[in-house]
Amino acid sequence: MESVLRTENLCLDINGKSIFKDVSLSLEKGTFAALCGRNGAGKSQLLRCLKGLRKPSSGSILIDGNPSSPGERMKRIALVFQSAEMQIVQQSVEKDIAFGPENLGLDKEEVQRRVDEAISIMNLEDKRRQRPQTLSGGELRKTAIAGVLAMQPDVILLDEPFANLDYPSTLAVIRALIAMHERGYTILVVSHEAEKFLAHTDKLFIMDKGRLAESGPSAEIYGTLRDYDIYLPASCSFEELTWLRA
């Protein structure tokens, strides 16, 4: 299957320090992938390069097999930051989700259609008119995700989406990611909390010391996470790597 997003020998140096080097990865359309690694491995900076917020020092970022500009990636790739409140700009959930499509110059009917669809996917119907300041951490993160869904990006990147969430909020975000995957979205999640959601992913990337150390089907290589000091429960099967329980 043709990749929707691919990097070739991507490198980033900041102030003379190598952040990551020779990262080559590929995301096929509809893939739900995880990117794991120790703190300082370069994961978040890689996401910023993919989004177009930071210019890599060398290498290529391709969309649909073609070289891409930062401007194109800003339009076609969405990034949900770890601090979801940074992305909330309006005074109600519905208005915040509508903010992006409205700025694309879409007509009111199309904006409303996109807002309704994003609210449905994120299961935010009962929060539609609520002020963001009154939401829980999980609800805020779901609102931020809904905002990028309404922009209809080709790829959605999420940086530590479970950070600082309580148990119910974590479950809500996991269910939201699964709903997005079922709708055919291409998703890449950066997280050091693989035990919470990895069973739902198709593909796993592991970064270590600024390099892509492992990549492949999640079910086949998940056991190597322990080699990079990433927590997995003892004697845990792949299917058990989820906080969702029947």
Side-chain angles (χ1 to χ4, degrees):
M1 186 182 296
E2 180 65 34
S3 63
V4 62
L5 177 63
R6 188 168 85 247
T7 69
E8 295 179 347
N9 302 315
L10 205 67
C11 302
L12 176 65
D13 298 332
I14 299 178
N15 298 326
K17 179 182 178 182
S18 177
I19 305 301
F20 57 77
K21 187 174 183 179
D22 295 330
V23 173
S24 297
L25 57 78
S26 177
L27 279 179
E28 292 71 36
K29 185 174 176 60
T31 297
F32 182 4
L35 174 60
C36 300
R38 298 182 179 97
N39 289 337
K43 306 183 300 297
S44 294
Q45 292 296 344
L46 176 61
L47 292 192
R48 288 177 173 271
C49 288
L50 295 177
K51 169 64 177 169
L53 296 173
R54 185 177 286 280
K55 183 179 179 180
S57 302
S58 61
S60 303
I61 303 175
L62 299 91
I63 296 180
D64 295 334
N66 301 308
S68 64
S69 66
E72 181 183 8
R73 297 198 299 277
M74 288 292 290
K75 293 178 181 178
R76 299 184 61 180
I77 299 175
L79 172 57
V80 180
F81 293 95
Q82 180 174 332
S83 300
E85 60 272 13
M86 292 173 53
Q87 294 179 253
I88 308 299
V89 296
Q90 296 294 321
Q91 294 304 304
S92 75
V93 168
E94 183 174 40
K95 289 180 179 178
D96 191 80
I97 297 169
F99 181 78
E102 287 173 348
N103 279 277
L104 293 177
L106 302 174
D107 60 53
K108 289 184 178 180
E109 290 77 13
E110 177 62 14
V111 170
Q112 193 60 54
R113 185 193 70 78
R114 292 192 183 195
V115 170
D116 291 344
E117 181 179 47
I119 284 176
S120 175
I121 294 172
M122 291 295 103
N123 194 25
L124 287 167
E125 286 289 357
D126 60 338
K127 308 296 180 183
R128 182 184 286 266
R129 293 176 178 81
Q130 197 160 322
R131 290 174 61 85
Q133 295 88 340
T134 67
L135 300 177
S136 69
E139 291 163 351
L140 269 175
R141 200 146 291 164
K142 287 168 62 179
T143 300
I145 296 171
V148 303
L149 285 179
M151 300 289 285
Q152 295 191 348
D154 293 283
V155 179
I156 300 175
L157 313 174
L158 300 102
D159 193 3
E160 298 291 354
F162 313 113
N164 305 315
L165 296 186
D166 58 17
Y167 182 73
S169 296
T170 297
L171 298 185
V173 173
I174 294 172
R175 292 190 179 103
L177 293 175
I178 294 169
M180 290 158 56
H181 188 210
E182 290 174 344
R183 296 287 186 110
Y185 284 95
T186 305
I187 307 165
L188 177 62
V189 174
V190 161
S191 178
H192 64 278
E193 301 172 280
E195 78 282 3
K196 295 181 177 179
F197 76 107
L198 196 63
H200 306 288
T201 66
D202 311 305
K203 199 167 188 177
L204 172 61
F205 303 103
I206 304 174
M207 286 188 70
D208 187 59
K209 299 176 181 178
R211 292 183 179 271
L212 186 62
E214 306 274 356
S215 66
S218 302
E220 294 180 11
I221 69 167
Y222 77 96
T224 64
L225 286 167
R226 294 190 181 93
D227 298 336
Y228 302 95
D229 298 327
I230 299 168
Y231 171 74
L232 289 180
S235 303
C236 186
S237 70
F238 179 71
E239 291 74 18
E240 292 173 305
L241 294 177
T242 175
W243 275 19
L244 300 185
R245 296 289 184 262

